[in-house]
Amino acid sequence: MSRFRAIWQASLNATKKALTWKAEDLIPPTERYIFNFNSREELKKWHLYSDSEYGGLSSASLEIADTGNGIKGVFSGNLSLDVSEGSKWNITRSGFCGMRSKKFDGFIDLDAYDTIALKLKGDGRSYISTIPLARYLPTWRGNVIDADLEMNPSRVLGMSLSVNADGGVPGAKTGPGDFRVEIDWIKALRSV
């Protein structure tokens, strides 16, 4: 009898909760913080990558720093087009770095949102990150790839920000050399 009673009590509790919901409980907020770069704990959620994994000589770091405008995440490093001698990888050029979030516990549901916003201060280079969820662009090694993939905003596994020595928008700084971007936060927005 106690098993039946436990099931009955769980059902009763769920019914009470459903009857006390307010409309605002059913509508998600218009914005949702995904990452807030204001503590060293935030860094544990990210993994750095670069062409050095394939024989390139680029390097990157991610730190929390007081930038004079508050505590921010600082993604910085050096882009190099050179390739190390004797690399086991058959690459002829390099020049990319990035930061990728570690996988969420399962996934993050962003179905109620239509945009990813980043508050950052750049250095004149083009940084690649997917912003409008409806126009998701897959990237690999700092470049947008032409692939027929569809984004499922209710099952987002991770996010990334990358920089490439070549390419970018007209007028952007390109070529080898240092890069630096200060990141305040990343959040999801609902515009409608």
Side-chain angles (χ1 to χ4, degrees), residues 4-123:
F4 172 77
R5 188 173 278 150
I7 292 171
W8 180 78
Q9 186 63 47
S11 175
L12 181 63
N13 290 344
T15 302
K16 283 180 184 178
K17 185 176 180 181
L19 293 174
T20 61
W21 278 346
K22 300 174 196 150
E24 55 267 15
D25 292 336
L26 301 175
I27 301 169
T30 57
E31 61 182 49
R32 174 183 177 184
Y33 281 95
I34 301 169
F35 297 104
N36 199 349
F37 291 86
N38 58 5
S39 73
R40 295 204 191 295
E41 283 297 309
E42 194 70 17
L43 300 183
K44 295 177 182 176
K45 300 176 183 177
W46 293 89
H47 166 75
L48 295 174
Y49 62 92
S50 73
D51 56 39
S52 65
E53 298 172 27
Y54 306 98
L57 300 175
S58 299
S59 62
S61 69
L62 179 61
E63 302 171 333
I64 296 294
D66 187 346
T67 63
N69 291 322
I71 304 297
K72 310 271 191 258
V74 178
F75 174 51
S76 62
N78 185 273
L79 296 169
S80 173
L81 298 177
D82 298 327
V83 177
S84 63
E85 297 269 338
S87 170
K88 67 178 182 177
W89 299 93
N90 187 19
I91 62 171
T92 57
R93 63 178 265 312
S94 59
F96 68 90
C97 293
M99 52 185 276
R100 181 181 313 114
S101 68
K102 293 180 180 173
K103 289 188 178 183
F104 299 112
D105 292 333
F107 56 87
I108 187 170
D109 184 353
L110 298 179
D111 198 35
Y113 303 94
D114 53 33
T115 303
I116 300 295
L118 294 86
K119 182 178 180 186
L120 49 84
K121 178 182 177 185
D123 59 0

Side-chain angles (χ1 to χ4, degrees), residues 117-168:
L118 294 86
K119 182 178 180 186
L120 49 84
K121 178 182 177 185
D123 59 0
R125 290 188 181 272
S126 287
Y127 290 83
I128 299 172
S129 186
T130 304
I131 306 299
L133 292 172
R135 294 189 321 212
Y136 165 76
L137 297 173
T139 61
W140 176 252
R141 297 184 185 171
N143 293 299
V144 175
I145 59 173
D146 185 20
D148 190 17
L149 299 172
E150 187 173 318
M151 169 77 168
N152 182 349
S154 67
R155 298 185 62 85
V156 176
L157 298 174
M159 299 178 172
S160 68
L161 179 68
S162 61
V163 61
N164 191 330
D166 293 333

